[in-house]
């Protein structure tokens, strides 16, 4: 059975993940690969409804950290089985904007839920499906905050303007950033630390240098 490559992108708000995912997808397509670009929470019809509840629903002010953890992982359990496993089995390149490291960083470190409990919920959601490589785009807190501010000023449909996560306080994001640092240090083989504050083309080149050796050769390439 052919096997694709599962690449996840991680980082705090405004770290440049969306831009870099598109650039990497284009590079992989240019050498003949089929690419699936996904996001979490979301990426399936069920997951997108959960995403709305988590981020934009007017009823989510009262959401507990425990409910947040379970909803993130309900969305994840769905995308893993509905999309990621079949795509990898078909040999596709799967690029996912966030995966379980976000849960460790945001619900574990950010919301300060018990890290062992978080781990067991994640394991139940993903089973054996783990990223081959994770690209962690690190940006300083000021860059992150500035990028979020300019994104908020962009014209968005009314229901998307409010984002529960972007309302969290500075201390929360400091804990999330610390959590990412711990994750990157504990799994250096899988999690690659990238300075996301560099120019877009420099970040793109760094990512390609990490990914290219892992990409199976196709066609004339
Ligand atoms: P984004 O798609 O704009 O990055 O928004 C997703 C938000 O959800 C972001 O603030 C991070 C948060 N999140 C978690 O808290 N835990 C998770 O497991 C995932 C996937 C995302």
């Amino acid at each position: 059975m052919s096997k694709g490559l599962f690449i996840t992108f991680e980082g705090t708000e405004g770290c440049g993940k969306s831009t870099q995912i598109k650039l990497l997808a284009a590079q992989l397509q240019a050498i003949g690969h089929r690419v699936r670009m996904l996001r979490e929470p979301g990426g399936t019809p069920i997951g997108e409804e959960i995403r709305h509840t988590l981020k934009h629903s007017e009823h989510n002010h009262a959401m507990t950290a425990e409910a947040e953890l379970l909803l993130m992982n309900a969305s994840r359990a769905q995308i893993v089985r509905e999309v990621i496993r079949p795509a990898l089995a078909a040999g596709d390149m799967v690029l996912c904007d966030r995966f379980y490291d976000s849960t460790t960083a945001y619900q574990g470190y950010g919301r300060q839920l018990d890290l062992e409990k978080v781990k067991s919920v994640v394991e139940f959601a993903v089973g054996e499906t783990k990223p081959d490589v994770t690209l962690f785009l690190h940006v300083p807190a000021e860059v992150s905050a500035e990028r979020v501010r300019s994104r908020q000023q962009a014209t968005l449909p009314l229901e998307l303007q409010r984002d529960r996560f972007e309302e969290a306080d500075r201390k929360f994001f400091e804990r999330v950033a610390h959590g990412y640092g711990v994750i990157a240090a504990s799994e250096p083989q899988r999690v690659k630390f990238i300075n996301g504050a560099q120019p877009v083309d420099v970040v793109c080149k760094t990512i390609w240098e990490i990914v290219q050796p892992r990409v199976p050769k196709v066609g004339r390439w």
Side-chain angles (χ1 to χ4, degrees), residues 6-201:
F6 184 22
I7 303 171
T8 59
F9 286 71
E10 294 284 352
T12 51
E13 271 59 20
C15 68
K17 289 180 282 100
S18 332
T19 305
Q20 293 299 333
I21 287 183
K22 287 188 206 124
L23 292 170
L24 180 60
Q27 282 171 301
L28 290 166
Q29 280 158 348
I31 58 167
H33 280 288
R34 250 194 337 260
V35 178
R36 298 295 307 257
M37 272 191 282
L38 306 171
R39 69 173 178 182
E40 274 212 330
T44 63
I46 289 171
E48 289 297 323
E49 286 190 6
I50 296 174
R51 180 183 176 89
H52 179 77
T53 302
L54 280 160
K55 280 174 66 102
H56 310 297
S57 160
E58 59 182 298
H59 306 295
N60 71 17
H61 290 281
M63 190 183 291
T64 64
E66 290 79 1
E68 181 179 285
L69 169 70
L70 294 168
L71 285 173
M72 289 292 176
N73 284 280
S75 171
R76 180 164 301 133
Q78 190 67 29
I79 198 173
V80 162
R81 289 156 186 82
E82 187 178 329
V83 185
I84 298 176
R85 286 182 189 166
L88 291 173
D92 294 357
M93 304 288 106
V94 176
L95 310 187
C96 198
D97 187 340
R98 301 189 178 282
F99 198 53
Y100 57 57
D101 296 313
S102 284
T103 300
T104 309
Y106 283 78
Q107 281 67 55
Y109 286 87
R111 302 279 188 227
Q112 299 179 296
L113 291 177
D114 181 279
L115 287 172
E116 280 306 311
K117 290 202 175 107
V118 169
K119 192 166 173 238
S120 59
V121 171
V122 164
E123 280 173 357
F124 182 62
V126 303
E128 294 303 306
T129 304
K130 312 245 159 90
D132 295 300
V133 62
T134 296
L135 304 163
F136 166 43
L137 271 56
H138 176 264
V139 290
E142 320 79 71
V143 175
S144 179
E146 180 46 42
R147 288 182 182 172
V148 168
R149 257 195 306 278
S150 49
R151 196 160 63 193
Q152 280 164 345
Q153 281 156 11
T155 342
L156 289 171
L158 206 55
E159 79 275 14
L160 296 180
Q161 281 176 17
R162 188 187 148 262
D163 183 328
R164 189 166 150 273
F165 288 91
E166 291 179 2
E167 289 170 358
D169 64 12
R170 197 169 56 89
K171 287 254 168 297
F172 172 80
F173 287 108
E174 283 171 7
R175 290 195 299 272
V176 171
H178 167 70
Y180 271 127
V182 175
I183 295 165
S186 65
E187 279 190 77
Q189 283 303 319
R190 173 179 68 86
V191 184
K192 302 299 173 192
F193 181 99
I194 297 162
N195 176 0
Q198 299 173 104
V200 169
D201 58 327

